């Protein structure tokens, strides 16, 4: 009270100044720095956001957010985020330094005048060629930020995919993504639907929650063993846990549809992939159908937190309890846990284009990009003038 500590019995009077201090623990984030790609004269700031950092202060995140880092470390004051990336997603972000430029860029985004290009690393050997997924998407659980394909209630969504490289062991692929709409988790949900989820995605590539099929074709798992019957993980560096037996997928009401190839305007053919959803539940009971999976995802998250608490090291360098609030200290997460292998690589609009460097996990994509550039340059040289 008035900059002094007082007893609880002290009477507060008019004009007294009451202050208090908050002691809080923010979740750990990557040590990778947020970098400035470009700042334009009209007030557009282009940044490269590391994975693990949310855009706005939210929940337990305050200082470790894009807005606060730009304010505290880079000295910016008025900030208007134009495109928003998921906390676990890395890559290019556009931030307005004034309301006018932010409004103009948002109008371009809404009118689809801005092209977004992403790079991701998925599970399995992704098929060659250009794949188009146009399954509608809706939110299943806001608290978990869980989304799904839903033909009845989902919003129109379209994403183009193209294979860039496949690992020698065929376990992972680097895939180029170009979303044409902007639904939450659109790329992640469409890749799961196609059967090639982002390999370290804790929501959509999680066998303990989804079973062996992991949501391919929109199918829900019908029966899985309780999470309490599964071994407690001692290494949470990957979400792709050992396979869990699951029943065969139910027979669809109609045969799976794969639309004929259609030209995409660049002389190539694009496979427009449509699939089937689990038809064991009527469409008007979709929320009821998703209930068990949502509860299972919540249980899985609780199990991971308990596993981290049990496995937390107890030595002089890593005390078990905070000396101020007695909260337990958790072990530092691995780099794979701090981000998912999804990176916003390049944004292009009328008269401009910005891109970021690619992360280490996408090194094969760099080889592919260099090879394509070389082929284009060679073709130009071979063309008669």
């Amino acid at each position: 009270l008035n900059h002094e500590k007082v007893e609880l019995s002290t009477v507060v009077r008019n004009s007294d100044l009451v202050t208090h201090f908050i002691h809080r623990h923010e979740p750990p984030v990557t040590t990778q720095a947020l970098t400035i790609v470009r700042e334009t004269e009209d007030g557009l700031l282009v940044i490269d956001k590391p994975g693990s950092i949310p855009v706005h202060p939210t929940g337990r995140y305050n200082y470790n957010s894009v807005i606060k880092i730009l304010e505290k470390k880079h000295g910016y004051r008025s900030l208007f985020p134009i495109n928003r990336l998921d906390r676990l997603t890395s890559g290019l972000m556009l931030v307005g330094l004034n309301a006018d430029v932010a409004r103009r860029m948002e109008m371009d985004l809404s009118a689809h005048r801005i092209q977004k290009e992403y790079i991701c690393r998925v599970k399995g050997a992704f098929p060659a060629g250009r794949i188009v997924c146009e399954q509608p998407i809706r939110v299943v659980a806001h608290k978990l930020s869980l989304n799904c394909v839903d033909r009845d209630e989902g919003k129109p969504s379209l994403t183009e995919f193209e294979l860039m490289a496949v690992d020698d062991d065929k376990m992972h692929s680097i895939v180029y993504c170009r979303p044409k709409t902007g639904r939450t988790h659109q790329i992640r949900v469409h890749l799961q639907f196609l059967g090639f989820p982002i390999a370290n995605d804790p929501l959509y590539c999680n066998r303990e929650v989804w079973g062996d099929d992991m949501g391919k074709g929109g199918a829900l798992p019908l029966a899985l063993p309780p999470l309490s019957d599964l071994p407690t993980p001692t290494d949470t560096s990957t979400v792709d846990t050992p396979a869990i037996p699951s029943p065969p997928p139910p027979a669809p009401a109609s045969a799976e549809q794969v639309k004929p190839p259609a030209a995409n305007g660049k002389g190539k053919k694009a496979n427009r992939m449509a699939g089937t959803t689990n038809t064991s539940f009527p469409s008007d009971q979709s929320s009821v159908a998703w209930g068990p999976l949502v509860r299972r995802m919540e249980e899985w998250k609780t199990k991971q937190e308990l596993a981290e608490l049990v496995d937390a090291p107890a030595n002089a360098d890593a005390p078990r309890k905070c000396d101020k609030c007695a909260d337990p200290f958790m072990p530092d997460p691995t780099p794979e846990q701090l981000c998912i292998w999804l990176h916003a690589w390049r944004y292009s609009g009328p008269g401009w284009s910005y891109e970021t460097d690619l992360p280490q996990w996408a090194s094969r994509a760099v080889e592919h990009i260099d090879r394509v550039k070389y082929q284009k340059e060679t073709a130009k040289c071979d063309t008669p003038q």
Side-chain angles (χ1 to χ4, degrees):
L1 185 67
N2 300 322
H3 305 293
E4 294 183 359
K5 289 185 178 181
V6 296
E7 300 295 331
L8 292 176
S9 58
T10 302
V11 177
V12 180
R13 295 179 171 82
N14 289 339
S15 301
D16 280 345
L17 175 65
V18 179
T19 56
H20 72 284
F21 296 91
I22 298 176
H23 171 82
R24 65 192 307 173
H25 294 264
E26 292 201 24
V29 297
T30 180
T31 57
Q32 181 183 349
L34 183 153
T35 57
I36 306 297
V37 176
R38 178 84 182 272
E39 181 179 345
T40 66
E41 294 181 358
D42 62 348
L44 176 64
L45 184 67
V46 184
I47 66 171
D48 186 357
K49 181 188 90 69
S52 77
I53 300 175
V55 176
H56 297 280
T58 178
R60 294 172 60 200
Y61 293 90
N62 184 42
Y63 177 79
N64 292 329
S65 62
V66 169
I67 297 299
K68 290 299 181 182
I69 291 173
L70 288 175
E71 289 178 353
K72 301 295 184 182
K73 286 192 174 182
H74 297 274
Y76 293 102
R77 287 294 175 261
S78 298
L79 296 168
F80 303 86
I82 296 165
N83 70 308
R84 293 167 177 81
L85 299 180
D86 297 334
R87 179 177 64 85
L88 296 176
T89 302
S90 60
L92 191 140
M93 268 194 64
L94 306 175
V95 182
L97 300 180
N98 58 70
D100 290 337
V101 71
R103 190 179 302 110
R104 186 182 76 243
M105 297 294 287
E106 288 173 351
M107 290 176 62
D108 285 345
L109 274 173
S110 300
H112 305 291
R113 289 191 290 265
I114 295 179
Q115 176 176 291
K116 300 173 285 185
E117 299 171 81
Y118 290 71
I119 306 293
C120 66
R121 189 180 186 200
V122 305
K123 184 174 176 61
F126 198 82
R130 184 160 301 186
I131 305 297
V132 176
C133 184
E134 47 188 343
Q135 297 297 326
I137 293 174
R138 75 172 177 91
V139 179
V140 175
H142 288 279
K143 184 178 179 181
L144 294 172
S145 193
L146 184 65
N147 296 264
C148 73
V149 165
D150 188 324
R151 291 202 183 104
D152 296 324
E153 301 179 17
K155 295 181 179 179
S157 310
L158 190 151
T159 315
E160 296 178 356
F161 300 100
E162 189 168 358
L163 176 67
M164 300 184 80
V166 179
D167 289 355
D168 294 336
D169 59 6
K170 309 295 185 184
M171 295 294 291
H172 299 100
S173 304
I174 302 296
V175 178
Y176 167 85
C177 318
R178 188 162 62 178
K180 296 296 188 179
T181 50
R183 310 302 175 203
T184 302
H185 294 183
Q186 177 174 316
I187 294 174
R188 298 163 68 180
V189 171
H190 277 172
L191 284 169
Q192 182 197 44
F193 183 88
L194 296 178
F196 301 94
I198 294 173
N200 68 337
D201 191 331
L203 276 181
Y204 303 105
C205 185
N206 190 327
R207 287 186 192 274
E208 289 194 23
V209 174
W210 294 92
D212 280 347
D213 294 330
M214 285 198 285
K216 180 179 180 180
L220 288 170
L222 296 184
L224 290 173
L227 287 175
S228 57
D229 294 346
L230 300 176
T232 299
T234 57
D235 178 11
T236 57
S237 61
T238 175
V239 296
D240 187 14
T241 52
I244 300 172
S246 60
S254 59
E256 184 175 12
Q257 301 174 358
V258 179
K259 296 184 180 180
N264 62 7
K266 293 187 178 181
K268 293 184 178 180
K269 297 292 184 178
N271 291 328
R272 293 187 173 270
M273 298 186 68
T276 56
T277 54
N278 187 338
T279 56
S280 297
F281 300 94
S283 59
D284 60 350
Q285 295 182 6
S286 57
S287 297
V288 176
W290 279 91
L293 188 133
V294 170
R295 289 191 292 272
R296 189 174 180 86
M297 180 65 75
E298 292 172 341
E299 292 172 6
W300 178 84
K301 285 195 170 186
T302 301
K303 183 179 179 181
Q304 299 302 307
E305 293 170 358
L306 291 175
E308 291 176 357
L309 181 60
V310 169
D311 294 336
N315 53 52
D317 296 329
R320 295 294 299 272
K321 302 282 186 180
C322 172
D323 58 359
K324 291 186 177 181
C325 66
D327 275 0
F329 280 89
M330 299 297 185
D332 287 338
T334 64
E336 290 78 11
Q337 291 172 306
L338 286 174
C339 72
I340 59 173
W341 291 328
L342 176 63
H343 183 81
W345 172 43
R346 180 164 57 198
Y347 274 46
S348 305
W352 58 267
S353 181
Y354 303 109
E355 67 180 59
T356 70
D357 294 333
L358 291 177
Q360 181 60 38
W361 54 261
S363 57
R364 296 292 298 274
V366 177
E367 300 172 7
H368 173 85
I369 293 168
D370 291 341
R371 184 168 61 253
V372 171
K373 286 182 179 178
Y374 174 78
Q375 291 171 350
K376 289 182 177 179
E377 291 172 359
T378 303
K380 286 182 180 178
C381 293
D382 294 341
T383 301
Q385 300 297 325

